[in-house]
Amino acid sequence: MISQFFVLSQRGDNIVFRDYRGEVQKGSAEIFFRKVKFWEDGESAEAPPVFNVDGVNYFHVKVVGLLFVATTRVNTSPSFVLELLQRIARVIKDYLGILNEDSLRKNFVLVYELLDEVIDFGYVQTTSTELLKSYVFNEPIVIDAAHLSPLGPAAIFAQGTKRMPGIAVTKSVVATEPGGRRREEIFVDIIEKISITFSSSGYILTSEIDGTIQMKSYLTGNPEIRVALNEDLAIGRGQGPVYGYKSSSGSGVVILDDCNFHESVRLDSFDMDRTLSLIPPDGEFPVMNYRMTQEFRPPFRINALIEEAGLHKAEVIIKVSAEFASSVTANTIKVQMPLPKYTTRVSFELEPGAVGQTSDFKEANKRLEWNLKKIIGGSEHTLRAKLTFSQESHGIITKESGPVSMTFTIPMYNASRLQVKYLQIGKKSGTHEPYRWVRYVTQANSYVARI
């Protein structure tokens, strides 16, 4: 049970607010944002997803820069409320097509109608996009996908595609094509978040992949579909290393530690031929979540070196090597490195001919930042930084520096080599257009190199 639900922008503006029970004071949104904005709790720089202020429990998740928040005074399961917030964000995105501040403001009537059907007097009724169609009648105001953030899905996948699938999946599930014709399409994404820790000498200490097969359906009549995965897919630990192994099919064996499936998925033939059968619900949903801790080839290798150059000076050298094919390009790369607290000045030296690279020293938190617009597979990039200190380092620079962390997005690349071999629609109609296409995305969840 929750008392209030609201959505705040990055500036703290109240975009959507619904009070279901009247148990929490009206200024809760301002109290929440002030607490999150100026959070101070030991070494933690960010507010946790759940905290309490003056007897009020605040739950929040951040989705595409927006803060989805719920409040309550009763002892409610945190995992339940956080999952509810994620599902509300997903339902709103299904109906609006694009989830951002502009789409919420222009479709506030539809959003409030959805909220009234999803939650009644603080109790959850349903978060199913398909079931809500029977109760929600407002039409969405379409937002031009060209107004998306440069880091959004449309921008990432628009390059070199004729049908612009990145923009297609940002349309509402209740929208129709010009002329009143319903869209008959289904899109599949394999999204992987990878976590890797490198030693100071460049060896992999820990590695993990958290992946999702995400699907968005625009098919009318909810026909049954079959999704085929790698034939050499194995589930369960103890199957042996897979790094560098190639099977007879050429795609390579894939060993997952564990996985779980959406409630609509049937596994009748999964053990036999690695195919999934399901009747997809309307909207976006995860077909399969999986985890992999077996050894895999990292997309990047990071090497960092810091050396003293005098009593009050030191030099940092960071090298990033892209270990994927030259036909693949990584986007929006950010490299960060904490520096000693007594660092007063940093001067940078980028490689000759560097394009789309910026470097900065964040003096407030003593952090080095290196941003690269893109990295082509097979290339190497190096940053040199000269540090000036306010006191002598006494030979402990390496203990007070690092580790180096990195974030990135790589479209059309997945580290686990999990593949969707084909997707079949069981009952074809004249409006179902055959179109072979699956998006692969790899993102950094925690990519760290020790000094």
Side-chain angles (χ1 to χ4, degrees):
M1 180 186 71
I2 66 172
S3 180
Q4 297 171 332
F5 169 84
F6 49 89
V7 181
L8 303 182
S9 70
Q10 293 182 345
R11 304 178 304 276
D13 297 335
N14 208 332
I15 305 173
V16 175
F17 185 92
R18 179 65 86 201
D19 192 336
Y20 293 101
R21 302 181 64 85
E23 300 171 338
V24 178
Q25 61 268 36
K26 294 295 184 181
S28 57
E30 184 179 349
I31 295 171
F32 165 81
F33 186 75
R34 191 185 308 117
K35 191 71 174 177
V36 169
K37 187 74 172 178
F38 304 102
W39 181 266
E40 292 183 4
D41 184 14
E43 297 181 356
S44 178
E46 293 187 356
V50 182
F51 59 85
N52 183 286
V53 179
D54 297 330
V56 177
N57 299 314
Y58 291 87
F59 307 80
H60 76 281
V61 297
K62 183 177 287 188
V63 184
V64 294
L66 300 172
L67 289 166
F68 285 70
V69 190
T71 66
T72 181
R73 287 187 177 274
V74 301
N75 187 11
T76 305
S77 168
S79 58
F80 169 79
V81 180
L82 295 176
E83 176 66 18
L84 172 63
L85 294 175
Q86 292 282 3
R87 291 197 181 193
I88 291 175
R90 188 179 303 159
V91 166
I92 293 175
K93 182 177 182 293
D94 285 342
Y95 275 82
L96 305 189
I98 298 171
L99 181 58
N100 58 22
E101 183 177 346
D102 189 32
S103 65
L104 285 176
R105 292 189 184 280
K106 290 186 177 180
N107 289 279
F108 72 94
V109 175
L110 173 57
V111 171
Y112 277 112
E113 188 178 9
L114 285 169
L115 291 176
D116 288 342
E117 298 298 338
V118 170
I119 302 173
D120 183 25
F121 199 59
Y123 293 93
V124 181
Q125 304 302 303
T126 180
T127 57
S128 168
T129 301
E130 187 174 0
L131 292 177
L132 286 168
K133 283 186 174 181
S134 303
Y135 308 103
V136 176
F137 300 101
N138 277 287
E139 291 288 331
I141 299 173
V142 179
I143 306 298
D144 187 1
H147 294 152
L148 280 173
S149 164
L151 308 184
I156 291 176
F157 294 100
Q159 301 174 356
T161 57
K162 294 181 180 179
R163 285 195 51 167
M164 306 292 279
I167 296 176
V169 294
T170 60
K171 293 185 178 180
S172 168
V173 295
V174 295
T176 56
E177 291 289 307
R181 182 173 63 88
R182 283 295 306 271
R183 306 175 64 219
E184 296 291 347
E185 296 172 315
I186 188 166
F187 294 91
V188 182
D189 294 333
I190 294 184
I191 303 172
E192 294 185 341
K193 295 182 180 294
I194 62 177
S195 302
I196 298 180
T197 303
F198 296 95
S199 67
S200 57
S201 54
Y203 292 101
I204 297 175
L205 298 177
T206 61
S207 59
E208 181 176 335
I209 297 175
D210 286 312
T212 301
I213 301 179
Q214 196 84 3
M215 188 174 288
K216 188 161 189 177
S217 174
Y218 296 93
L219 303 177
T220 56
N222 300 105
E224 181 179 3
I225 64 172
R226 291 174 64 85
V227 179
L229 306 179
N230 307 52
E231 295 177 358
D232 295 323
L233 175 64
I235 299 175
R237 305 188 68 174
Q239 301 288 338
V242 301
Y243 185 61
Y245 178 82
K246 291 291 182 180
S247 68
S248 57
S249 63
S251 61
V253 65
V254 177
I255 301 177
L256 307 180
D257 286 41
D258 48 60
C259 61
N260 58 69
F261 302 91
H262 189 266
E263 58 189 12
S264 65
V265 176
R266 296 199 305 273
L267 305 173
D268 301 340
S269 59
F270 182 69
D271 291 334
M272 186 186 313
D273 56 9
R274 294 312 191 207
T275 60
L276 307 173
S277 301
L278 68 151
I279 297 177
D282 292 337
E284 191 172 6
F285 65 99
V287 177
M288 170 182 168
N289 298 310
Y290 57 91
R291 187 172 64 95
M292 174 178 170
T293 58
Q294 297 282 343
E295 190 177 359
F296 60 90
R297 185 184 300 277
F300 290 102
R301 284 195 180 273
I302 313 174
N303 293 100
L305 177 66
I306 182 168
E307 295 180 336
E308 291 190 39
L311 295 177
H312 296 83
K313 293 184 179 181
E315 184 175 14
V316 174
I317 303 174
I318 303 176
K319 180 185 289 186
V320 174
S321 304
E323 300 197 339
F324 45 87
S326 58
S327 58
V328 178
T329 301
N331 299 327
T332 60
I333 304 96
K334 176 183 285 189
V335 180
Q336 296 182 317
M337 176 180 169
L339 300 176
K341 295 180 180 179
Y342 43 83
T343 304
T344 56
R345 189 167 60 87
V346 180
S347 59
F348 296 95
E349 180 183 337
L350 295 171
E351 55 198 354
V355 179
Q357 298 185 29
T358 60
S359 55
D360 192 15
F361 170 53
K362 302 296 184 181
E363 191 170 359
N365 53 8
K366 305 297 183 181
R367 186 180 298 272
L368 175 154
E369 285 192 5
W370 180 23
N371 296 282
L372 301 92
K373 188 175 182 181
K374 65 179 181 179
I375 293 181
I376 299 174
S379 63
E380 287 187 355
H381 299 275
T382 304
L383 172 71
R384 293 177 179 270
K386 295 182 179 180
L387 315 181
T388 301
F389 304 135
S390 60
Q391 65 184 52
E392 294 184 22
S393 60
H394 300 292
I396 57 173
I397 302 177
T398 55
K399 293 182 180 180
E400 299 185 1
S401 305
V404 179
S405 61
M406 184 177 181
T407 60
F408 53 83
T409 298
I410 313 178
M412 303 315 296
Y413 174 89
N414 66 324
S416 70
R417 298 199 301 273
L418 182 69
Q419 296 180 6
V420 173
K421 294 292 187 180
Y422 64 82
L423 184 149
Q424 290 181 339
I425 300 176
K427 196 185 255 187
K428 293 185 179 180
S429 70
T431 56
H432 292 158
E433 300 179 12
Y435 178 44
R436 178 184 172 85
W437 191 78
V438 179
R439 296 193 302 186
Y440 296 88
V441 191
T442 292
Q443 297 176 332
N445 197 24
S446 175
Y447 214 82
V448 175
R450 295 181 178 176
I451 303 294

